[in-house]
Every structure is written in structure tokens, then in C-alpha cells.
């Protein structure tokens, strides 16, 4: 297959969707597919274009067999709503020439957010007559409206119309959690158009490691501590202030330390909250290099998942598979009926507490601190669940199958042909053009007992 991945984020960005799309693209290449990625100049999480890409309109790279075509972004380090809109628009317009400059795709994988990217992807799909598989990582604009980022009614209506357009024009919609399915079905998306493929984790890279002789613990002087870890994106959907307040309630226990690793701007805000709460048992760290991730997760005694009370079915933290795979128990301060809570309950690898409640979070941490056997049991269950449900090979199999199905269903629309039930021998000449594009080798099967001759790229074969 010729696969075009349209993803705003990609390597070398260290967190979020970028590592996932990088692994997916490279995994597909290893299976013999040709993969081209349309992406922006790397900028996350600093929201500044990386030095080697600064001042450039277009950059084309090759990494591990993947062709990466980058385009200019208008980006601000402290964006307001207009800046965010202009950022998306800049990617829409600058990425389109890159997408048109390359091999003709058999299928397009489009990741959202950002939502506006569905416009150029849909145009390319129309020009090349190929299907779009829409990969929904967060449901927009619902997420932005719920957290108060977007309040203008006209803008909300416009984005909701764009959301409906994206769902309608996509051939298939892949979601990362069961809760997303109900959300989309309630918006009128047919169930047979939706496939659930959870985000994965590299189970060889992230695995249970001993806390003893842990380099990350030693570096940060945590060898004799009970470490409560939060690492990753610090967004408006989370409310890490709850973690700071919970830490302040446990500061009388010298063994317990809360470690938070995230982007620098968010850490500055949390530092002020630590001072206000008297939380001197919180270690604030910048985002760690990806190669240190296994040691950092292994250094933790438990991991945190935090969401605000209004985050129900439009967000699924990518940290959940990572923490489960690391064999560490999870304490999740999340809505009990939300997507994250359902995933953690199903895994058996953690406990759920009331969101935005520092008392509840502190009590859960203290409970696992006092019951190491329970913590170890939760960790073992989580690892087992990750192995069974979040392996990369499983996800790769399902995406590959999804792509083949989308191509076949798009390319073999043979409803115009009558159903054949005769036992008589008849000759049919079936051409694969234009219903199969010129780079596809996939031909749908016609159920018949008669002899069929297939002509494809000048070759004639007889089969029964």
C-alpha cells in the first residue's frame, strides 16, 4: 500500500501523538508498505519551532524508510484563541502543496486534532479517489467547549459543522476508547463506520523494572522515597493543582514525594501553587528525554492520571497504557463515568477517586503507601492487561486490516453488476480502472460459479 499519514505532530516531538504516529509509520514500512507523512515543523511541547527547522518553509526528510514532508507553521509560545486558529490555518494551507507533491496514496490516515486539517485531507482524497481513515485522539470542539477554551457561539457552531463534515466525509473513523464510540453515535455517526483501536505501547521498551539501582531515582535523590509520579502533557483538561493540594496534605510524611514532569510554562504556574499551599514535597521537572522514560516510570511507586470533573467522553490520556505497561499501580483522579475511569477499571491496574478532590487523592496515595502488597498486585494486573490489549503488534495488525478494508470497499463498488447465480460458463472482462487506482494491487472478488477473466495493467489471467 501507498499510505499517506496526515499528522500535525511527528518525530522528534517527545510526547503526545508524535511518538505514536512515528511508531505506526515505521511499523508499516517494516511490513513492506510505502509511507509518506505530512506534518508541521516540530514545535511541541515548547510551542517554538525547533532550531534546525526555524525559518524554513518546507523540509523533506527520510527516517527509517518513512518520507517526512514538513511545512511552515505560524506559532506563538503563548497562544490565544486567534493564535490557535491561525496556527491551524497555516498548516492547512502550507501542507497542501506538500501532500500533492509525492506518491499517489491508496489510503489517507488523518489524525485529529487539529480539526481543520480534514479540509486538505478530504480534497486530496477526492483528487486521488482514495479513502480517508479519520483517527480521533480527542473529540473536538466538545473538549475545547467543556474546558472553557471556546465560548463564542458562532465559532462553536462553525466548529461543530466542521466536525460533522469530517465524520461524514471519512470512510472509516478509528477511535482510541470505547467511550468515544457512544459519543460519536449520539452525534449520528453510524456504528459500522467506527472502529476502536486503542493507542498502544512498546511493551519491550516500557516494562516492569526494579526500583533498586535506578538511575533516575539516584539522579533526583529519590532512593529512599515513595515516589508519586505525574509525567506528560499538562493541559486545561487536567487540573494539576489538585495534585499539589494533595501533596500538601501529605507533607508530614517525609517518605512521600510527588514528582511532576511537564512543559516549562505549566511548571511555572504549578510552582506558584506549591508556594501558596506549602507543598515542599513536590519535585517539578522538565519533560524528560524519551530514552529516560523506562527508568522514570520504573522509579515511581505509583502513577497519577488526573482529569477535571467535566472531562467525560472526549479525552483518553495516552499515559494510561504507559503506566499499565510499566507495572506500576495507577491512582486516577477522574470522573467515575468517564472514558479514562472505564479503561482503568477494566484493566484492574488502579483505583479511581473523585476528581478535583485533594482529600480523596491524598487518601488513595496514603492507602497504597500503607499497603505495598495491594500496590504490587495492581501493578501486576495492569501489566498483564497491557500485554493483552495494548501491544503495538496488535494495533499494527488492526490498522493494516482497516486500511485494506477501506481500500477494498472504496475500490470495489460493484453494485452496478447483477448478482450471478447461473451455473453456465460465461466470460466476463473486468478492468480494474478506474475503480481501482493505478498503484493498488487489490481487486474485489465477484461471487460467481462462472469463469472470469481479469485484465489488470495489461495482464490477462483466467481463474475459476
Amino acid at each position: 500500500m501507498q499510505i499517506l499519514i496526515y499528522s500535525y505532530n511527528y518525530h522528534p516531538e517527545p510526547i503526545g501523538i508524535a511518538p505514536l504516529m512515528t511508531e505506526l509509520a515505521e511499523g508499516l514500512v517494516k511490513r513492506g508498505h510505502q509511507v509518506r507523512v505530512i506534518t508541521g515543523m516540530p514545535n511541541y511541547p515548547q510551542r517554538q519551532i525547533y532550531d534546525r527547522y526555524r525559518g524554513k518553509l518546507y523540509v523533506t526528510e527520510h527516517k527509517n524508510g518513512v518520507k517526512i514532508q514538513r511545512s511552515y507553521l505560524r506559532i506563538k509560545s503563548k497562544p490565544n484563541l486567534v493564535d490557535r486558529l491561525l496556527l491551524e490555518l497555516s498548516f492547512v494551507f502550507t501542507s497542501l502543496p506538500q501532500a500533492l507533491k509525492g506518491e499517489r496514496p491508496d489510503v489517507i490516515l488523518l489524525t485529529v486534532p487539529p480539526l481543520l486539517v480534514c479540509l486538505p485531507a478530504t480534497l486530496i482524497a477526492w483528487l486521488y479517489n482514495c479513502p480517508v481513515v479519520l483517527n480521533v485522539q480527542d473529540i473536538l470542539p466538545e473538549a475545547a467547549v467543556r474546558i472553557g477554551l471556546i465560548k463564542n457561539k458562532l465559532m462553536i457552531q462553525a466548529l461543530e459543522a466542521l466536525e460533522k463534515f469530517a465524520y461524514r466525509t471519512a470512510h472509516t473513523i478509528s477511535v482510541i476508547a470505547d467511550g468515544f464510540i457512544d459519543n460519536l453515535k449520539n452525534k449520528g455517526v453510524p456504528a459500522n463506520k467506527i472502529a476502536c483501536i486503542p493507542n498502544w505501547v512498546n511493551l519491550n521498551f516500557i516494562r516492569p523494572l526494579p526500583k533498586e539501582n535506578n538511575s533516575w531515582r539516584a539522579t533526583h535523590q529519590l532512593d529512599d522515597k515513595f515516589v508519586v509520579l505525574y509525567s506528560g502533557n499538562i493541559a486545561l483538561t487536567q487540573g494539576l493543582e489538585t495534585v499539589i493540594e494533595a501533596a500538601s496534605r501529605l507533607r508530614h510524611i517525609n517518605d512521600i514525594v510527588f514528582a511532576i514532569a511537564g512543559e516549562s510554562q505549566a511548571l511555572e504556574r504549578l510552582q506558584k501553587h506549591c508556594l501558596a499551599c506549602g507543598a515542599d514535597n513536590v519535585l517539578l521537572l522538565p519533560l524528560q528525554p524519551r530514552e529516560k522514560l523506562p527508568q522514570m516510570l520504573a522509579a515511581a511507586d505509583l502513577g497519577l492520571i488526573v482529569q477535571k470533573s467535566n472531562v467525560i467522553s472526549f479525552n483518553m490520556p495516552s499515559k494510561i497504557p504507559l503506566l499499565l505497561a510499566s507495572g506500576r499501580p495507577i491512582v486516577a483522579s477522574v470522573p467515575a463515568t468517564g472514558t479514562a475511569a472505564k479503561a482503568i477499571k477494566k484493566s484492574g491496574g488502579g483505583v479511581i477517586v473523585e476528581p478535583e478532590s485533594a482529600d480523596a487523592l491524598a487518601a488513595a496515595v496514603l492507602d497504597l503507601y500503607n499497603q505495598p502488597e495491594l500496590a504490587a498486585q495492581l501493578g501486576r494486573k495492569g501489566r498483564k492487561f497491557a500485554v493483552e490489549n495494548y501491544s503495538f503488534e496488535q494495533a499494527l495488525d488492526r490498522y493494516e486490516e482497516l486500511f485494506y478494508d477501506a481500500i477494498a470497499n472504496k475500490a470495489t463498488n460493484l453494485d452496478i453488476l447483477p448478482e450471478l447465480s447461473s451455473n453456465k460458463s460465461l466470460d466476463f472482462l473486468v478492468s480494474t480502472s478506474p475503480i481501482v487506482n493505478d498503484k493498488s494491487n487489490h481487486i474485489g472478488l465477484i461471487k460467481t460459479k462462472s469463469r472470469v477473466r481479469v485484465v489488470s495493467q495489461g495482464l490477462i489471467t483466467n481463474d475459476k
Side-chain angles (χ1 to χ4, degrees):
M1 282 183 289
Q2 291 280 358
I3 302 168
L4 178 65
I5 297 179
Y6 225 118
S7 177
Y8 171 80
N9 298 104
Y10 196 77
H11 175 86
E13 294 169 320
I15 61 172
I17 190 63
L20 289 168
M21 286 299 107
T22 304
E23 288 174 354
L24 179 61
E26 294 178 359
L28 289 166
V29 166
K30 288 180 180 178
R31 293 198 174 186
H33 304 291
Q34 285 75 50
V35 181
R36 187 161 60 100
V37 174
I38 303 299
T39 188
M41 300 295 179
N43 63 87
Y44 195 74
Q46 297 90 346
R47 292 188 175 90
Q48 292 181 348
I49 293 176
Y50 293 8
D51 289 343
R52 61 174 289 200
Y53 298 94
R54 199 166 295 166
K56 298 179 180 179
L57 183 61
Y58 293 115
V59 173
T60 298
E61 302 170 312
H62 292 84
K63 179 180 181 293
N64 294 332
V66 180
K67 183 178 181 179
I68 309 163
Q69 295 174 274
R70 303 186 185 275
S71 59
Y72 166 81
L73 301 171
R74 180 202 182 272
I75 192 162
K76 299 290 185 180
S77 58
K78 295 181 179 180
N80 55 32
L81 188 58
V82 174
D83 290 328
R84 292 175 188 271
L85 179 61
L86 291 174
L87 168 61
E88 290 196 25
L89 285 172
S90 68
F91 184 54
V92 166
F93 287 109
T94 61
S95 66
L96 184 57
Q98 287 283 68
L100 293 171
K101 188 173 62 177
E103 301 79 4
R104 177 176 181 158
D106 294 317
V107 63
I108 298 171
L109 177 68
L110 169 65
T111 65
V112 294
L115 193 56
L116 281 172
V117 185
C118 71
L119 297 176
T122 301
L123 177 60
I124 295 163
W126 177 77
L127 288 173
Y128 290 138
N129 189 30
C130 65
V132 172
V133 174
L134 182 67
N135 174 240
V136 179
Q137 294 287 326
D138 286 305
I139 295 178
L140 297 176
E142 186 174 344
V145 173
R146 289 284 189 94
I147 64 176
L149 185 62
I150 302 177
K151 298 178 181 179
N152 184 284
K153 291 184 178 179
L154 288 177
M155 181 171 287
I156 291 171
Q157 289 174 358
L159 290 174
E160 286 176 345
L162 186 62
E163 180 188 16
K164 290 179 181 177
F165 173 81
Y167 297 155
R168 187 176 68 253
T169 55
H171 180 279
T172 306
I173 302 169
S174 69
V175 297
I176 61 174
D178 292 338
F180 286 23
I181 297 176
D182 295 333
N183 189 304
L184 267 59
K185 285 166 64 177
N186 291 336
K187 293 174 179 176
V189 179
N192 62 3
K193 196 174 185 176
I194 308 171
C196 184
I197 306 177
N199 285 342
W200 57 89
V201 59
N202 186 329
L203 295 167
N204 295 320
F205 181 59
I206 304 297
R207 62 191 190 280
L209 297 171
K211 287 184 292 184
E212 296 75 18
N213 300 317
N214 181 285
S215 60
W216 200 86
R217 273 182 169 257
T219 298
H220 299 290
Q221 301 177 343
L222 298 170
D223 278 333
D224 299 321
K225 302 296 183 180
F226 183 89
V227 179
V228 182
L229 176 68
Y230 179 93
S231 175
N233 185 32
I234 300 175
L236 294 174
T237 55
Q238 288 145 350
L240 267 290
E241 290 78 8
T242 300
V243 176
I244 303 298
E245 292 161 16
S248 71
R249 284 157 171 76
L250 298 173
R251 64 182 183 272
H252 61 285
I253 304 176
N254 293 331
D255 289 347
I256 299 178
V257 172
F258 286 70
I260 299 176
E263 55 267 40
S264 57
Q265 290 181 7
L267 294 180
E268 291 175 7
R269 185 182 75 248
L270 293 179
Q271 178 64 45
K272 294 177 182 177
H273 203 62
C274 285
L275 294 173
C277 295
D280 56 1
N281 56 345
V282 177
L283 178 64
L284 299 176
L285 299 167
L287 281 171
Q288 303 296 289
R290 185 166 176 77
E291 60 270 17
K292 292 185 179 180
L293 187 58
Q295 285 293 315
M296 180 178 67
L297 294 174
D301 290 275
L302 62 87
L304 295 179
I305 300 294
V306 186
Q307 290 180 329
K308 290 186 176 180
S309 56
N310 59 355
V311 180
I312 305 296
S313 61
F314 54 81
N315 177 266
M316 175 65 175
S318 59
K319 290 179 284 293
I320 292 176
L322 288 170
L323 289 173
L324 293 174
S326 73
R328 298 299 185 260
I330 294 174
V331 173
S333 172
V334 298
T337 58
T339 299
K342 290 177 182 176
I344 294 167
K345 288 176 184 175
K346 189 175 180 180
S347 74
V351 295
I352 310 299
V353 302
E354 180 185 354
E356 299 186 73
S357 171
D359 290 334
L361 181 56
V365 170
L366 186 60
D367 191 38
L368 291 180
Y369 169 75
N370 289 324
Q371 299 188 70
E373 291 182 3
L374 174 60
Q377 182 183 17
L378 292 172
R380 287 192 295 271
K381 287 183 178 179
R383 172 66 184 185
K384 182 175 183 293
F385 185 85
V387 169
E388 293 173 352
N389 295 272
Y390 292 136
S391 79
F392 176 52
E393 289 302 317
Q394 286 178 335
L396 196 57
D397 288 342
R398 297 192 63 188
Y399 271 108
E400 196 174 31
E401 181 182 1
L402 203 66
F403 295 157
Y404 276 130
D405 287 346
I407 293 168
N409 292 334
K410 179 74 175 179
T412 61
N413 184 13
L414 300 177
D415 294 339
I416 57 171
L417 296 179
E419 184 176 350
L420 299 175
S421 58
S422 172
N423 291 328
K424 296 180 180 179
S425 177
L426 298 174
D427 272 3
F428 288 86
L429 183 63
V430 181
S431 170
T432 64
S433 178
I435 59 174
V436 175
N437 70 50
D438 60 351
K439 294 220 175 182
S440 174
N441 294 321
H442 304 292
I443 302 171
L445 299 179
I446 306 170
K447 293 183 179 179
T448 173
K449 296 181 181 179
S450 303
R451 187 175 60 191
V452 177
R453 288 189 299 144
V454 179
V455 179
S456 177
Q457 298 181 352
L459 298 177
I460 301 180
T461 61
N462 290 289
D463 201 0
K464 291 184 179 180

